[in-house]
Amino acid sequence: MSVDSLNKIREYCRQYGFIFPGSEIYDGFANTWDFGPVGVELKNNIKKAWWKRFVQEDMNTYGVDAGILMNPRVWEASGHVDSFSDPKMDCKKCKQRFRADNMIEEHSAGKVAAEGMTNEEMEGYIRDNHIVCPNCGGFDWSEIKQFKLMFETSRGTVEGAKDTVYLRPETCQGEYVNFANVQRTARAKVPFAIAQIGKSFRNEITPGNFLFRTIEFEQMELQKFCHEKDGMTFFDDYKKRAMDFVADLGLDREKLRYHDHDKLAHYAKAACDIQYKFPIGWEELNGIHHRGTWDLSRHSEFSGKKLEYQDPETNEKYTPNVIEYSIGADRLTLAILCEAYNEEKVLEDDTREVMHFNPVIAPYKVAVLPLAKKYHSEKAIEVYHKLSKCFMTTYDESGSIGKRYRRSDAIGTPWCITVDNETINNGTVTVRDRDTMEQITLKIDEVVDYVQKRIDF
Ligand code: GAP
């Protein structure tokens, strides 16, 4: 049985130390979340798996870690300063703010595409269809205004002489502006890719769908620079690789689908999202975009620096095309949490809550449990220190062994290692599998190998 409510997952995450509301002791701070001890391991493992698959194992991909703050001209070149905004309106009764386009799309169950409507057209639609405030039920709307999505801050020590700078709303610009640096220092030949993982910030108004859309989030982005003739091949290639990646991490292929865009930006040649069936419905998980030469041409124009490539064999000089693959680490974590959660009947009158994470991304790989604290804890602590050198390990000595199995299941630990008299006398431990709940006996020295073989990605 899979969870059908994001609220239930959110509460579960809070209870078990995955994710807490941001600044909770100050009554929170809307759309911000703090990852707890279990959640941080999960998200780190997801990021590591992405990096391994798309950077480490790809001979022609190079990583960077560019600054969050960039020269403001970057955001002029990218078009964000002029046009990165959402149509927002306020309910005059309860003072809540909403995205007009989302409300229209929700009201029409996706039949009306608000994208492309003018503010006046959206106001007309809302009026004619009497769309009320989702919060208080009122019907007293402000006019629709475009709200900028970029967070602004200022730089400068002299009051009155400050420059506006922006918190980056996407990580990819750090990849474009370093195209020439990476190409030169890595002696990279086109086609090659630049990848990075990092924080992005957007001043989003959202209906509060937990991690789905937040104001601060991490992106895992990759730009493949290629010759125009190879663009569609790489576009199709990344579509497939992106799908395989999320399926290999554990998302059910039945809950994943491609969504090709009909409407494209004027410079784009193709665009496709991969959607996941979240508890709130089919929503974008990641995007793959064929962006032509737009990004490098714009940065070349605005910076005055040539961003071209000369093929060493043919001597052809050209501006490479870009295929972008972009996925939110937090949004993927949310999908994984929704997929992994299960409530299962164990016995006639007993149920358990369990997270069936792929062991590769499970926060902790093993839990070490002394059968009886009094007799076995010393040996168990020894085992803990041995295993924790190799992978994330927890230690739990309080409560009955059954309760401790349940706690490990709840945070998705794939294997529980029980230390008992046999461990002290023969050097063997019991290894209990989270999913099958079956137990086997192994020598202590065999455990590392046993686990390592099963967390290879
Ligand atoms: N550079 C391209 C770009 O940023 P995007 O579709 O705006 O494209 C890419 O974002 C991915 O980043 C999305 O598919 C989603 O996974 C994630 N993402 C975007 N906005 C987000 C937000 N406000 N909160 C959480 N994740 C977000």
Side-chain angles (χ1 to χ4, degrees):
M1 184 190 71
S2 123
V3 70
D4 61 356
S5 145
L6 223 42
N7 292 343
K8 186 169 177 183
I9 283 287
R10 193 191 60 210
E11 263 319 292
Y12 187 87
C13 286
R14 186 164 171 265
Q15 185 184 349
Y16 287 103
F18 283 94
I19 297 152
F20 309 119
S23 320
E24 195 180 10
I25 60 167
Y26 290 93
D27 297 331
F29 188 52
N31 288 329
T32 66
W33 301 95
D34 294 343
F35 281 75
V38 189
V40 72
E41 296 301 331
L42 177 66
K43 187 158 78 148
N44 279 345
N45 291 341
I46 290 171
K47 289 189 286 183
K48 269 189 238 157
W50 188 86
W51 195 264
K52 179 164 187 282
R53 178 73 60 96
F54 290 100
V55 183
Q56 181 183 326
E57 291 177 4
D58 196 326
M59 203 185 269
N60 300 312
T61 300
Y62 306 91
V64 293
D65 184 9
I68 285 173
L69 300 176
M70 302 179 81
N71 188 312
R73 295 272 290 157
V74 167
W75 306 110
E76 288 171 33
S78 68
H80 284 82
V81 169
D82 283 339
S83 58
F84 194 48
S85 57
D86 277 341
K88 308 266 170 72
M89 60 185 188
D90 295 333
C91 169
K92 290 191 197 161
K93 211 170 146 206
C94 71
K95 312 286 181 228
Q96 291 276 319
R97 182 164 285 173
F98 298 92
R99 267 182 71 168
D101 53 344
N102 283 355
M103 286 190 47
I104 292 172
E105 277 161 19
E106 266 162 39
H107 178 267
S108 68
K111 291 197 186 86
V112 176
E115 203 185 318
M117 277 182 167
T118 63
N119 288 356
E120 290 70 33
E121 283 166 342
M122 283 190 273
E123 280 168 4
Y125 185 95
I126 287 165
R127 205 173 37 243
D128 296 347
N129 290 278
H130 197 80
I131 303 181
V132 296
C133 171
N135 187 48
C136 71
F139 186 68
D140 191 5
W141 294 111
S142 69
E143 63 178 322
I144 296 172
K145 284 192 184 143
Q146 292 295 326
F147 277 79
K148 286 200 182 343
L149 285 173
M150 277 203 295
F151 280 105
E152 288 183 13
T153 183
S154 51
R155 175 188 176 138
T157 47
V158 182
E159 198 49 46
K162 287 179 178 166
D163 293 327
T164 298
V165 291
Y166 304 98
L167 299 189
R168 69 180 175 202
E170 56 178 9
T171 57
C172 60
Q173 300 301 329
E175 297 164 337
Y176 301 138
V177 302
N178 281 299
F179 164 76
N181 282 338
V182 173
Q183 194 273 319
R184 177 176 51 83
T185 53
R187 290 177 294 116
K189 284 190 181 155
V190 170
F192 73 93
I194 303 182
Q196 81 167 320
I197 299 177
K199 289 261 182 178
S200 294
F201 304 83
R202 295 182 191 177
N203 197 358
E204 306 258 21
I205 306 277
T206 84
N209 285 330
F210 193 25
L211 293 186
F212 183 77
R213 194 178 296 285
T214 52
I215 58 175
E216 176 183 341
F217 54 98
E218 277 185 283
Q219 288 184 307
M220 308 190 282
E221 295 202 295
L222 176 152
Q223 318 298 318
K224 186 88 174 185
F225 299 98
C226 62
H227 192 283
E228 187 182 5
K229 68 178 167 41
D230 300 322
M232 280 315 290
T233 307
F234 284 119
F235 177 76
D236 291 338
D237 183 45
Y238 275 104
K239 265 175 76 167
K240 180 175 181 321
R241 289 177 66 188
M243 181 66 94
D244 288 345
F245 173 69
V246 289
D248 291 350
L249 279 194
L251 298 188
D252 181 354
R253 282 190 192 260
E254 295 286 308
K255 292 196 217 150
L256 289 164
R257 69 182 185 193
Y258 291 115
H259 173 247
D260 289 305
H261 293 204
D262 299 329
K263 258 173 98 179
L264 296 176
H266 65 90
Y267 52 80
K269 298 194 176 154
C272 174
D273 299 336
I274 289 177
Q275 295 183 330
Y276 176 70
K277 197 172 183 193
F278 286 93
I280 48 172
W282 286 99
E283 295 285 353
E284 175 185 333
L285 185 60
N286 68 233
I288 300 115
H289 297 249
H290 185 333
R291 302 177 58 87
T293 57
W294 169 258
D295 305 285
L296 291 186
S297 305
R298 289 281 289 188
H299 284 303
S300 194
E301 184 190 332
F302 279 68
S303 66
K305 308 286 183 320
K306 276 206 159 51
L307 296 174
E308 288 177 337
Y309 177 73
Q310 182 159 21
D311 189 304
E313 269 140 46
T314 64
N315 278 333
E316 185 191 358
K317 212 181 216 183
Y318 59 92
T319 303
N321 277 231
V322 164
I323 308 302
E324 175 180 62
Y325 160 40
S326 173
I327 179 160
D330 307 81
R331 195 173 288 183
L332 177 55
T333 303
L334 176 62
I336 299 264
L337 285 163
C338 295
E339 183 82 45
Y341 177 83
N342 210 0
E343 212 177 308
E344 296 170 358
K345 201 170 187 137
V346 183
L347 294 167
E348 209 29 59
D349 55 352
D350 192 12
T351 56
R352 68 166 183 166
E353 286 184 303
V354 55
M355 283 294 194
H356 288 291
F357 295 126
N358 179 334
V360 172
I361 50 170
Y364 298 97
K365 305 308 178 209
V366 297
V368 177
L369 318 173
L371 185 63
K373 183 177 164 186
K374 192 164 164 199
Y375 305 111
H376 309 122
S377 59
E378 198 181 321
K379 188 71 184 169
I381 288 170
E382 205 183 285
V383 172
Y384 168 86
H385 285 302
K386 197 177 173 87
L387 299 181
S388 65
K389 286 198 193 323
C390 307
F391 27 73
M392 287 302 293
T393 305
T394 51
Y395 176 80
D396 189 356
E397 59 179 23
S398 59
S400 71
I401 195 78
K403 282 218 171 83
R404 284 181 274 162
Y405 283 158
R406 290 287 182 277
R407 281 202 288 267
S408 296
D409 293 343
I411 60 168
T413 306
W415 299 285
C416 284
I417 313 289
T418 307
V419 171
D420 55 18
N421 287 343
E422 293 298 312
T423 319
I424 293 165
N425 298 332
N426 308 325
T428 60
V429 291
T430 310
V431 180
R432 175 209 182 245
D433 186 283
R434 175 198 64 200
D435 299 337
T436 62
M437 292 184 277
E438 279 167 12
Q439 305 192 5
I440 56 166
T441 304
L442 288 181
K443 287 224 167 318
I444 297 173
D445 289 339
E446 291 169 339
V447 174
V448 170
D449 224 36
Y450 180 87
V451 172
Q452 214 90 57
K453 273 197 193 119
R454 286 160 178 78
I455 57 172
D456 198 22
F457 188 62

